[in-house]
Amino acid sequence: MPNLPHIDQLNEQIAQDADNDEAHFMRAEYYFRHRSYAQAKLDYQAATDINPEYGLAYVALGYVDTIEGSSETACAYFEQARLLYPTNSQEAAWVQQVIWATQNLATYGEDASYYNRRGINLNDLKLYWQALVDYSQALVTDPGYKYSYYNRGLNYNEMGEYALAIKDFTQAIRLKPDDPWHYNDRGNSYNYLKRYEEALKDYFKGISIDPNIAALYGNVGDVYFSLGNLEQATHYIELAINKDPHDATYKATLAEIYLCAGDYEKAWQMVMRNRTLFDQSEYALASDILQLVLACILGHTQAINALEQRLYIAKQLAETVDWDFDSLMRWFNNTQDLSKDTRADIRKYLEVAVGLGYIA
C-alpha cells in the first residue's frame, strides 16, 4: 500500500482546491491512522459533500460511527455506499457483509468472528487502517482467535509492515501449525524483506504440508528469480503453471524469465500465446511492457508502435504497474547482446515503466 501523503501536502492541496474530494479523503485517512476520529469524520463528510457518489468515503464515514458506538447511523452510511456500487459487483457484496457484521455486533455483542469478517471485507475495499482496527479488536475479544492473526498479517503485508506481519503469521502458525497458507504468507513477508533463505524455508514447509498449492511453487520460483537462479526459477514456475494453468502471474513471470535468459523468441511466443489471458488480468499493462521490450529486441515494428502508444497513454493517465521489474532491470544492466539503438529504446521504456510506480 502506498504511504499516505504528509499532512502538510494534503493541507496544501485542499488550500489550493477546496473541492478536491480525493485530498479530503486522504487527509481523513491520515487522521484516522492517527486516531483523530473527529477530524477524520469531518474530511470523510467533506469528500461525500463534494462527490455524493464517493462510495468508499461513505463506508469510511460509517466506520467512524461504529467506533463511536452509533451502529444504526453507521449502517445507514454503509447502505448509501452499497447502493452506489453496481448491484452484482464485488464491492456491493463486500459492503453488504460489512453491514451484516455491524448489525450482528450490535445485536449479539462482542464476537471475534464478526470483527474478523468485517475486517476481511474492509481489507477487500482497501480500507486497511479500518480493517486493522477490526482484526485487533477481534484479538482483544478472543486472544486465541487464530484467523485474525492470519488476516491481520495479510493486512500488514498490504500496508508494507512486513515485520509486524511476520509476528502475526508466526502466532497463527503457533495456533495452527498444519496450515500451509500460514507458511506461504509468512514466506511472502520474508520475500518482501529480501530475507530469501527464510522465505524459501517457509514455502518448502508449506509444500510439505500440501503439495498441491500452486502459489507455493510460484513463490519459490519468484525467490530463485530474484536470486538470479533462472534454471530453478523456471522449474518452479513451470510447476506452478501445471498446478494452475489459468493464472496469468505465473505465465507472465515465465515470459520474463525467458527474456532474462536471452531466449527472446520463446519469451515472445509465451506472451503472444497468453495475450487474452493477460488482457483479462490485472497484469495487462505489465505484460504489454514485457512485450514491448521483446518487440524492440526482435524488430517487430508494427507491434512496437501500438505498444509504445499504450505505454505513453498509461503514463498520461498515471496508471500503476502491478509488477516488480527488478529482475528485468538487472538483465538490462548486465546484458551485452543489444545494439546501441535497441538499448536506448528499451532504457526509455523501462524508465517509463518504473516511473509508473510499480508495486514490488
Side-chain angles (χ1 to χ4, degrees):
M1 184 187 75
N3 291 326
L4 293 174
H6 191 274
I7 189 67
D8 291 341
Q9 294 176 279
L10 294 166
N11 287 338
E12 184 178 350
Q13 290 176 23
I14 292 169
Q16 292 175 352
D17 180 9
D19 291 332
N20 186 332
D21 58 337
E22 185 64 22
H24 278 287
F25 182 85
M26 294 300 291
R27 189 169 70 176
E29 289 285 274
Y30 182 94
Y31 286 137
F32 186 95
R33 174 182 178 179
H34 292 87
R35 301 184 182 182
S36 299
Y37 299 127
Q39 291 174 292
K41 191 172 184 178
L42 289 173
D43 267 328
Y44 289 135
Q45 185 67 66
T48 60
D49 289 343
I50 295 164
N51 180 6
E53 296 186 356
Y54 202 153
L56 198 60
Y58 283 112
V59 178
L61 188 57
Y63 191 80
V64 175
D65 277 337
T66 69
I67 291 174
E68 296 175 344
S70 304
S71 296
E72 187 174 343
T73 307
C75 286
Y77 282 126
F78 296 151
E79 181 63 13
Q80 281 183 274
R82 188 186 68 80
L83 293 172
L84 287 170
Y85 292 115
T87 303
N88 295 320
S89 66
Q90 285 184 316
E91 290 81 3
W94 293 333
V95 176
Q96 184 60 57
Q97 286 295 304
V98 170
I99 294 171
W100 174 84
T102 303
Q103 290 173 336
N104 281 338
L105 284 165
T107 302
Y108 302 113
E110 300 283 287
D111 186 304
S113 66
Y114 296 142
Y115 283 118
N116 183 69
R117 169 48 57 189
R118 191 169 65 183
I120 290 170
N121 294 115
L122 291 167
N123 177 281
D124 289 334
L125 289 161
K126 302 189 186 305
L127 289 173
Y128 300 118
W129 292 103
Q130 291 81 350
L132 179 60
V133 172
D134 267 357
Y135 292 138
S136 298
Q137 189 58 42
L139 293 170
V140 169
T141 305
D142 181 356
Y145 195 72
K146 57 183 177 292
Y147 303 108
S148 285
Y149 284 111
Y150 175 70
N151 289 323
R152 192 171 67 176
L154 294 175
N155 201 71
Y156 277 135
N157 268 355
E158 295 274 11
M159 298 167 73
E161 297 285 354
Y162 305 125
L164 292 174
I166 288 168
K167 288 183 179 180
D168 274 347
F169 291 135
T170 299
Q171 183 66 4
I173 288 169
R174 187 184 70 80
L175 293 168
K176 189 171 173 52
D178 61 345
D179 190 320
W181 289 104
H182 294 171
Y183 293 98
N184 178 74
D185 290 294
R186 189 175 68 174
N188 288 343
S189 302
Y190 286 131
N191 195 357
Y192 295 140
L193 291 170
K194 302 187 186 304
R195 292 163 61 175
Y196 296 128
E197 288 187 12
E198 291 159 291
L200 285 173
K201 183 178 178 180
D202 268 352
Y203 295 144
F204 283 125
K205 177 64 175 179
I207 289 171
S208 73
I209 296 170
D210 186 344
N212 296 310
I213 297 175
L216 287 161
Y217 297 94
N219 289 329
V220 170
D222 181 66
V223 170
Y224 280 126
F225 194 15
S226 296
L227 292 169
N229 188 333
L230 302 187
E231 183 178 354
Q232 286 288 72
T234 300
H235 173 69
Y236 282 99
I237 294 296
E238 287 177 343
L239 287 175
I241 291 172
N242 288 336
K243 301 289 181 183
D244 186 358
H246 303 296
D247 190 295
T249 316
Y250 308 138
K251 292 186 176 181
T253 300
L254 190 57
E256 187 181 1
I257 292 171
Y258 289 153
L259 191 165
C260 292
D263 199 340
Y264 305 131
E265 188 59 43
K266 195 171 184 179
W268 176 264
Q269 292 302 323
M270 173 63 72
V271 172
M272 296 305 295
R273 192 163 57 246
N274 294 284
R275 188 69 266 175
T276 300
L277 177 66
F278 295 150
D279 288 344
Q280 294 173 350
S281 77
E282 61 188 304
Y283 307 112
L285 181 54
S287 63
D288 284 345
I289 293 166
L290 291 175
Q291 187 177 354
L292 177 57
V293 171
L294 289 164
C296 192
I297 295 169
L298 297 170
H300 296 316
T301 306
Q302 187 173 354
I304 291 172
N305 294 336
L307 291 163
E308 191 176 71
Q309 183 179 13
R310 169 75 178 98
L311 180 61
Y312 289 117
I313 289 173
K315 181 181 179 180
Q316 289 174 355
L317 296 175
E319 293 184 37
T320 299
V321 183
D322 189 6
W323 201 257
D324 178 355
F325 288 112
D326 285 353
S327 293
L328 189 61
M329 291 299 295
R330 185 167 58 246
W331 159 81
F332 177 75
N333 290 327
N334 293 329
T335 189
Q336 302 296 320
D337 63 350
L338 302 176
S339 70
K340 183 178 179 180
D341 288 344
T342 299
R343 285 192 65 82
D345 286 338
I346 292 175
R347 181 185 301 277
K348 176 177 61 177
Y349 301 144
L350 292 180
E351 285 175 353
V352 174
V354 172
L356 290 172
Y358 69 84
I359 302 172

